[in-house]
Amino acid sequence: MPEGSGAYGGGIRGTLSGMQGITLDEMDSIKLMNRVDTKFLTDLETLGEILRRAAPLYRVLETGGDRVAEYDTLYYDTDGYRMYLDHQQRRLNRRKVRTRTYLSSGDTYLEIKRKNNRGRTRKKRIPLPADEFSSFSGDSSAAEFISSLTEFEAGALTPSTRTSFSRITLVNNARTERLTIDSGLEFENFRTGLKSGLADAVIVELKQDGYCSSDIRKILLDLRVKPVRVSKYCIGTVLTVPEIKKSRFIGKIRTIEKLIDTKLLDR
């Protein structure tokens, strides 16, 4: 396991090591850039049992000999947090703009995620020089990419919340769905300088072409891990911008606090 995945105990490491692997090339047929996402919230202890039950039915992504990948993501927003507030105000058609570096390969991308009023998520991305991770406003290709897919101009977007985490990616044997498992979530706001994290909380995301039968969904529900609508960007922003409007997310924060037995927000 790479450095940074130390939160995983021997049971999780052993289960991952015993699973059949899959390469990035083999995953090409299931990129699911236009998909339905279902998220679940759990903890590291329960994750061990999830992986044990999933092992015969799923393959684990392996890159460079590693089965846990480290991600560094920086979300951009307007000065007034327009994209965050679109989520807070339950706007059905909304977007997120971010840069992401895959630390195992060093590849950096500018990504736009759009969720429509039918609940489908579409993601598009372009490669980005690594030194533009925290500033792409001078890149004409990036500016054109932003203006062609959003109502925003690149110059109006500045770094907001940085999110880092470790990710395990599973693919079912039929290669019809992907599952991402994110843990060790840490947040840093570039505007306030505040930092926070989710301790042992784990965000599981099931990605499919549509709502259909899924072995992992059955495993999660059997373990009483229920679907929850949660955004890493929004949670990270709530935890690092004290004055931000946050009424929609208070309940989710309280759910996470109960899960990890740690107070994240002042009462």
Side-chain angles (χ1 to χ4, degrees):
M1 299 263 177
E3 185 178 353
S5 59
Y8 297 117
I12 290 178
R13 293 167 183 258
T15 300
L16 290 176
S17 297
M19 294 177 68
Q20 185 176 1
I22 188 170
T23 66
L24 279 171
D25 288 341
E26 290 176 306
M27 280 181 53
D28 276 349
S29 62
I30 46 170
K31 287 182 178 178
L32 301 177
M33 303 297 271
N34 180 14
R35 66 196 187 223
V36 173
D37 297 340
T38 309
K39 294 180 181 178
F40 302 82
L41 187 65
T42 187
D43 56 20
L44 283 173
E45 182 177 357
T46 306
L47 175 60
E49 180 61 17
I50 293 168
L51 291 173
R52 189 188 68 78
R53 296 190 189 191
L57 306 169
Y58 289 79
R59 300 171 67 178
V60 58
L61 176 64
E62 182 173 315
T63 56
D66 294 328
R67 295 191 166 191
V68 178
E70 305 299 321
Y71 283 52
D72 192 7
T73 303
L74 180 57
Y75 288 89
Y76 286 70
D77 213 329
T78 65
D79 289 345
Y81 289 97
R82 162 69 185 281
M83 282 179 266
Y84 166 85
L85 290 174
D86 279 350
H87 203 134
Q88 155 70 25
Q89 294 164 0
R90 302 179 186 271
R91 184 177 179 185
L92 295 179
N93 290 290
R94 55 183 184 262
R95 291 168 175 80
K96 292 189 178 74
V97 175
R98 68 191 185 195
T99 52
R100 170 169 285 178
T101 296
Y102 299 80
L103 298 183
S104 58
S105 65
D107 294 335
T108 299
Y109 295 90
L110 172 60
E111 301 182 342
I112 296 174
K113 287 184 69 177
R114 179 174 68 87
K115 190 163 187 176
N116 65 25
N117 56 9
R118 296 183 298 277
R120 296 193 72 90
T121 299
R122 183 185 294 272
K123 183 175 79 171
K124 292 191 175 182
R125 69 183 189 181
I126 58 171
L128 199 68
D131 60 2
E132 293 183 12
F133 174 81
S134 57
S135 178
F136 56 77
S137 59
D139 187 319
S140 59
S141 296
E144 182 179 352
F145 180 66
I146 295 292
S147 62
S148 67
L149 294 174
T150 77
E151 64 269 43
F152 305 106
E153 296 298 324
L157 304 178
T158 56
S160 177
T161 304
R162 187 175 194 164
T163 305
S164 60
F165 54 89
S166 300
R167 170 168 288 183
I168 299 167
T169 300
L170 304 184
V171 179
N172 66 334
N173 290 335
R175 301 192 189 187
T176 58
E177 65 183 32
R178 284 194 290 119
L179 188 78
T180 58
I181 302 168
D182 298 341
S183 63
L185 288 121
E186 299 288 342
F187 307 111
E188 177 185 4
N189 192 281
F190 273 39
R191 302 175 185 182
T192 67
L194 296 178
K195 298 179 180 181
S196 189
L198 298 189
D200 287 346
V202 177
I203 296 177
V204 178
E205 186 168 356
L206 175 61
K207 305 175 184 186
Q208 303 170 291
D209 275 331
Y211 295 105
C212 54
S213 178
S214 166
D215 288 316
I216 199 69
R217 188 188 295 270
K218 294 174 184 176
I219 290 170
L220 291 168
L221 295 180
D222 187 56
L223 292 171
R224 298 182 181 179
V225 180
K226 298 179 180 179
V228 60
R229 294 183 179 181
V230 60
S231 159
K232 289 191 284 290
Y233 172 54
C234 292
I235 293 299
T237 299
V238 167
L239 295 178
T240 58
V241 186
E243 71 278 9
I244 201 81
K245 185 177 181 181
K246 57 178 71 75
S247 56
R248 183 180 179 186
F249 302 105
I250 292 297
K252 293 180 174 63
I253 295 292
R254 300 304 180 225
T255 297
I256 295 171
E257 289 178 331
K258 290 179 181 178
L259 185 71
I260 63 176
D261 194 25
T262 300
K263 186 172 74 170
L264 299 173
L265 283 178
D266 292 335
R267 294 302 195 265

